Amino acid sequence: MNKQENLKKKYGITDEELKRAIDQIKLGNIACSGAVLCAICELLANGDIKGNAQQSKIIFANVEHEQFYKEQLAKVRTNDCYHRALIYTIGITEDTRKHFNEIFNIKTDCINADCIHTGWVTGTDVRAIRLAYNLYTGFTPDNDDILKYSVSQIFEYGCIEYFLQAVSLRFE
């Protein structure tokens, strides 16, 4: 009898209860009986099953966003929370992905704050760029534009779920 069988017998739980609870671990949301939770804790502690506490699932806007994130992250000098947040945020919209090299220079590891004044930038793009820069450097301008970098301005329209994911990546 293997460990899982022993634990199911010990705690009086079924295969289905254990499977459902293990699936919930992958989703980061455990809702099960105390006996199932005890069995899962033992399995996790023994290394017999793996949760995702260290590897939380990143929410992407679409497949292109995820692909962009992985490709650009592989190119940066340092894979740290600053770069992950910057690249993730810039990758949210198609236009910012297309103009990535105008927004951030990977070779010099520098942002181009003036890019927000170019013709291709939409309202959503400018908010994403401002958030990306702020998460990367803590940057806010020293002039009247400082209010445009406030949370209420950046999060006022769409993409909130992805902007919050970017914040989460930065402060992981």
Side-chain angles (χ1 to χ4, degrees):
M1 199 179 290
N2 68 27
K3 290 179 186 177
Q4 287 187 18
E5 292 300 319
N6 287 333
L7 288 171
K8 287 189 295 187
K9 186 175 181 180
K10 177 179 176 180
Y11 291 105
I13 58 177
T14 66
D15 284 331
E16 183 57 36
E17 287 176 306
L18 187 59
K19 182 187 178 319
R20 190 171 43 248
I22 290 170
D23 289 343
Q24 290 172 356
I25 290 172
K26 293 174 187 163
L27 297 173
N29 178 20
I30 301 174
C32 55
S33 73
V36 174
L37 191 55
C38 289
I40 288 175
C41 288
E42 275 192 50
L43 289 168
L44 284 168
N46 294 334
D48 297 320
I49 59 172
K50 305 284 183 216
N52 68 346
Q54 299 295 346
Q55 214 39 286
S56 61
K57 179 123 174 81
I58 298 174
I59 301 164
F60 291 97
N62 50 42
V63 174
E64 293 81 10
H65 181 202
E66 183 174 9
Q67 183 178 355
F68 170 86
Y69 176 77
K70 290 175 180 177
E71 287 172 3
Q72 297 305 325
L73 199 55
K75 295 177 185 178
V76 294
R77 284 187 240 175
T78 309
N79 181 344
D80 59 11
C81 62
Y82 302 98
H83 287 89
R84 286 190 293 273
L86 173 86
I87 291 169
Y88 175 89
T89 310
I90 292 172
I92 292 172
T93 73
E94 182 180 355
D95 285 334
T96 52
R97 286 192 300 271
K98 235 189 293 187
H99 295 276
F100 178 71
N101 294 327
E102 295 172 45
I103 298 169
F104 182 73
N105 185 326
I106 286 182
K107 289 179 185 170
T108 62
D109 219 26
C110 293
I111 60 173
N112 174 14
D114 293 331
C115 77
I116 63 173
H117 302 294
T118 57
W120 61 265
V121 178
T122 67
T124 300
D125 296 336
V126 76
R127 285 177 179 83
I129 293 167
R130 286 177 178 149
L131 177 62
Y133 287 174
N134 197 304
L135 293 173
Y136 185 66
T137 65
F139 170 77
T140 54
D142 293 332
N143 56 29
D144 294 336
D145 283 347
I146 196 162
L147 293 177
K148 294 177 182 175
Y149 286 78
S150 70
V151 171
S152 61
Q153 288 294 308
I154 290 174
F155 285 80
E156 186 175 11
Y157 303 100
C159 296
I160 292 171
E161 178 180 23
Y162 307 116
F163 287 176
L164 289 173
Q165 177 68 67
V167 172
S168 175
L169 286 169
R170 168 57 181 84
F171 295 101
E172 58 189 3

